[in-house]
C-alpha cells in the first residue's frame, strides 16, 4: 500500500509499505477514505518531538471502512462499518479507561517502559506519533491496523459526509475538551491563543458552551478572518499589544479563562522571552517555546483557569510559576479523552449545531501529502486545514 512516511526533519515521502494485518484478536483493519494533517504532525515534521524513527507512517486523524475484524472485536465491529478512529488508543478495561481518562490508558502504549522512564507513568498509545507513545503506524495511508478496535472507534451513521465527521478523531473533541475543562460560565471572557484548526474548534466550542465573549489571538489574516466568522473578537499580535487589548476588553480585570491552542512552537518573534526561547532551542538547552504560557499567566484574571490543549514535548524555561501560584490559577491540560466527548459532538453535528468541515481549506490526494506538509507548516496559500484522500 501507499503511505506518508517520515524519513527525517522536513522529509516526508509518499512510499510503498507493507499492508497491515490482524496481529491481535481485538484488532481491525480500516481502509482509509479520508485523513488529515494535524498541527501536531508538524512537531514531528520539524523533529521537535523525540522518539521518531526513519520509516514511521504518519497521521493520527483518519476515518474509513472496516475491511477485517479480529475475533474479539466482532462484538463491536463488522466488515463494512464506517468509522472515525480516535488518535488515542484505549483498552476500556484499565483504571484510567474506566474513569474516562482515555488518553492515559495504562495498557495501550506498547513502549510503556520507555514512557514510564520519561514521564513517570505511561500515557496511552497514539497513532502515527513517536515511539514514546507506542510507535503505531498512522492513518496517512491506504490501510491502518487499529489495536483495541472494539473500543478505539466512533461508528458513523448514514447521511453524513467524511468532511463533516473526520475531525471527531482529534481536533473537534480537542477544542471541545479545551473549552469544557474551563467550566465556562455565562459571565466569562475566554481568550484563546492560536487560530489554527484546534483554535478554530475551541472558539466555536466556547461559544456553544455559552461564554460571554470569546477573544482569539493570532497573526495570520486567514485564520483571524475564520475566527471572526465564528463569532470571536480577534487580536493580531503583530499589530497590537495582546496585554493592552485584553485589559481593554475586560475592563482591566483580564479574562477568566485562557486557552493555549498553540503549544510548543509559539511564533512570537519581537518579544524578549521569545528570542530567549529560540536561542535556547537552537542550542538544545530547551525543547519548547513557552511564550504563550507566560502571557496567559500574566493576563489571566486571579482565580482564573488556564486550559492547555496545545502539545508540549519536553522542557521549558523561565516560566513564572510564582505568578501563577500567587494569583491562584487553575491549570487543566492533557491529550484529549476523545471518546468521552464524541457521542455528544456527533449529535451536535447531526442536529446542525456545527459543521466541522468549515475549517477545511485544502483537499488533495494522499500523493500530494509531502508538498502539503510544507504548505501547511509555512501557512502558504491560505492553508488552515488539509484533508488527504488515499
Amino acid at each position: 500500500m501507499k503511505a506518508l512516511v517520515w524519513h527525517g526533519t522536513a522529509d516526508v515521502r509518499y512510499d510503498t509499505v507493507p499492508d497491515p494485518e490482524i496481529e491481535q484478536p481485538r484488532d481491525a483493519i480500516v481502509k482509509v477514505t479520508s485523513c488529515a494533517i494535524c498541527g501536531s504532525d508538524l512537531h514531528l515534521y520539524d523533529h521537535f518531538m523525540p522518539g521518531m524513527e526513519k520509516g514511521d507512517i504518519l497521521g493520527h486523524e483518519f476515518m474509513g471502512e472496516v475491511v477485517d475484524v479480529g475475533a474479539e472485536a466482532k462484538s463491536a465491529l463488522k466488515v463494512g462499518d464506517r468509522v472515525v478512529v480516535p488518535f488515542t488508543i484505549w483498552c476500556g478495561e484499565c483504571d484510567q479507561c474506566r474513569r474516562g481518562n482515555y488518553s492515559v490508558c495504562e495498557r495501550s502504549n506498547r513502549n510503556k517502559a520507555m514512557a514510564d522512564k520519561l514521564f513517570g507513568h505511561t500515557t496511552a498509545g497514539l497513532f502515527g506519533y513517536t515511539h514514546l507513545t507506542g510507535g503505531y503506524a498512522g492513518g496517512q495511508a491506504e490501510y491502518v491496523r487499529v489495536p483495541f478496535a472494539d473500543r478505539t472507534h466512533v461508528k458513523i451513521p448514514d447521511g453524513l459526509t467524511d468532511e463533516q465527521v473526520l475531525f471527531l478523531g482529534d481536533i473537534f473533541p480537542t477544542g471541545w475538551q479545551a473549552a469544557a475543562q474551563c467550566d465556562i460560565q455565562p459571565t466569562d471572557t475566554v481568550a484563546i491563543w492560536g487560530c489554527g484548526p484546534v483554535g478554530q474548534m475551541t472558539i466555536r466550542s466556547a461559544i456553544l458552551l455559552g461564554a460571554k465573549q470569546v477573544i482569539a489571538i493570532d497573526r495570520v489574516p486567514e485564520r483571524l478572518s475564520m475566527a471572526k466568522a465564528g463569532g470571536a473578537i480577534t487580536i493580531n499580535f503583530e499589530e497590537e499589544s495582546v496585554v493592552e487589548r485584553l485589559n481593554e476588553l475586560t475592563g482591566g480585570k483580564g479574562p477568566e479563562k485562557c486557552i493555549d491552542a498553540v503549544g510548543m512552537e509559539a511564533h512570537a518573534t519581537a518579544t524578549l522571552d521569545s528570542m530567549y526561547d529560540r536561542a535556547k532551542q537552537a542550542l538544545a538547552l530547551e525543547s519548547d517555546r513557552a511564550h504563550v504560557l507566560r502571557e496567559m499567566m500574566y493576563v489571566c484574571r486571579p482565580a482564573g483557569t488556564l486550559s492547555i490543549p496545545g502539545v508540549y514535548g519536553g522542557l521549558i524555561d523561565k516560566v513564572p510559576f510564582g505568578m501563577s501560584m500567587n494569583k491562584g490559577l487553575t491549570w487543566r491540560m492533557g491529550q484529549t479523552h476523545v471518546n468521552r466527548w464524541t457521542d455528544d459532538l456527533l449529535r451536535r453535528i447531526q442536529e446542525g449545531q456545527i459543521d466541522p468541515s468549515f475549517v477545511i481549506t485544502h483537499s488533495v490526494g494522499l500523493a500530494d501529502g509531502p508538498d502539503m506538509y510544507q504548505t501547511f507548516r509555512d501557512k502558504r496559500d491560505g492553508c488552515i486545514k488539509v484533508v488527504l484522500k488515499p
Side-chain angles (χ1 to χ4, degrees):
M1 70 170 185
K2 291 290 190 178
L4 298 187
V5 177
W6 189 88
H7 285 270
T9 304
D11 186 2
V12 172
R13 304 177 195 174
Y14 181 63
D15 285 349
T16 299
V17 298
D19 292 351
E21 298 178 349
I22 297 289
E23 298 177 15
Q24 301 292 334
R26 293 177 67 181
D27 288 354
I29 305 297
V30 172
K31 180 181 180 180
V32 178
T33 56
S34 297
C35 54
I37 302 176
C38 184
S40 302
D41 292 324
L42 296 182
H43 304 325
L44 309 181
Y45 185 72
D46 291 325
H47 208 183
F48 285 123
M49 294 289 286
M52 292 299 293
E53 296 181 8
K54 183 177 179 179
D56 288 343
I57 298 173
L58 296 166
H60 57 267
E61 198 164 31
F62 60 98
M63 66 175 294
E65 179 183 334
V66 176
V67 294
D68 197 5
V69 184
E72 294 180 15
K74 289 182 177 179
S75 60
L77 290 171
K78 65 181 185 299
V79 171
D81 281 346
R82 187 163 166 246
V83 295
V84 168
V85 181
F87 76 96
T88 48
I89 304 167
W90 58 290
C91 73
E93 298 168 348
C94 69
D95 287 345
Q96 293 287 10
C97 284
R98 286 198 295 267
R99 297 171 188 229
N101 299 327
Y102 307 125
S103 74
V104 287
C105 171
E106 297 169 327
R107 295 179 56 199
S108 62
N109 188 346
R110 58 188 178 183
N111 292 332
K112 178 181 183 299
M114 186 187 302
D116 282 344
K117 187 173 183 179
L118 186 65
F119 299 138
H121 300 87
T122 189
T123 59
L126 306 180
F127 288 101
Y129 226 61
T130 84
H131 288 259
L132 289 171
T133 55
Y136 290 98
Q140 291 168 6
E142 293 179 328
Y143 295 89
V144 182
R145 180 179 79 91
V146 180
F148 298 105
D150 54 322
R151 297 289 187 163
T152 306
H153 72 272
V154 180
K155 200 169 291 187
I156 302 301
D158 294 335
L160 295 170
T161 67
D162 278 18
E163 287 72 16
Q164 286 177 287
V165 296
L166 171 61
F167 305 131
L168 285 170
D170 184 357
I171 61 169
F172 189 13
T174 294
W176 186 268
Q177 179 172 298
Q181 63 193 8
C182 285
D183 187 25
I184 293 171
Q185 302 300 308
T187 55
D188 281 347
T189 291
V190 180
I192 299 165
W193 278 254
C195 297
V198 167
Q200 298 293 340
M201 296 298 171
T202 307
I203 289 163
R204 285 152 180 82
S205 297
I207 289 170
L208 283 171
L209 287 168
K212 181 180 73 173
Q213 64 178 347
V214 175
I215 304 166
I217 301 154
D218 205 294
R219 65 173 181 174
V220 180
E222 293 85 359
R223 290 182 173 192
L224 290 167
S225 178
M226 185 178 282
K228 187 175 182 179
I233 300 166
T234 60
I235 298 174
N236 185 329
F237 67 77
E238 288 193 336
E239 296 180 354
E240 55 186 334
S241 165
V242 173
V243 175
E244 291 177 5
R245 184 74 172 123
L246 286 174
N247 281 330
E248 177 185 322
L249 290 166
T250 60
K253 293 180 177 292
E256 288 90 348
K257 310 294 165 62
C258 296
I259 300 176
D260 174 3
V262 178
M264 65 194 297
E265 292 186 70
H267 286 291
T269 56
T271 62
L272 182 61
D273 73 311
S274 63
M275 290 185 282
Y276 171 87
D277 283 340
R278 287 182 179 274
K280 290 206 71 172
Q281 193 178 59
L283 294 170
L285 297 173
E286 181 180 27
S287 58
D288 304 356
R289 302 194 293 265
H291 171 76
V292 169
L293 288 179
R294 299 186 193 101
E295 192 161 75
M296 290 201 313
M297 293 163 73
Y298 187 77
V299 302
C300 189
R301 186 176 303 199
T305 298
L306 309 183
S307 176
I308 307 167
V311 173
Y312 286 83
L315 302 174
I316 54 178
D317 196 3
K318 297 296 184 289
V319 172
F321 202 77
M323 180 192 300
S324 181
M325 182 272 169
N326 283 287
K327 291 174 73 173
L329 303 182
T330 296
W331 292 56
R332 301 287 301 276
M333 66 189 86
Q335 298 281 8
T336 309
H337 309 303
V338 175
N339 288 80
R340 183 189 291 183
W341 314 107
T342 47
D343 286 351
D344 179 44
L345 298 183
L346 181 58
R347 175 186 61 80
R348 291 175 185 271
I349 293 170
Q350 289 177 297
E351 292 177 356
Q353 294 184 38
I354 185 170
D355 180 354
S357 67
F358 76 88
V359 79
I360 300 169
T361 54
H362 292 67
S363 185
V364 300
L366 186 64
D368 297 316
D371 289 338
M372 289 310 303
Y373 259 89
Q374 190 167 17
T375 297
F376 181 41
R377 183 197 60 183
D378 297 342
K379 302 172 182 64
R380 299 199 308 252
D381 192 33
C383 186
I384 297 176
K385 187 66 175 178
V386 179
V387 171
L388 304 171
K389 298 287 186 175

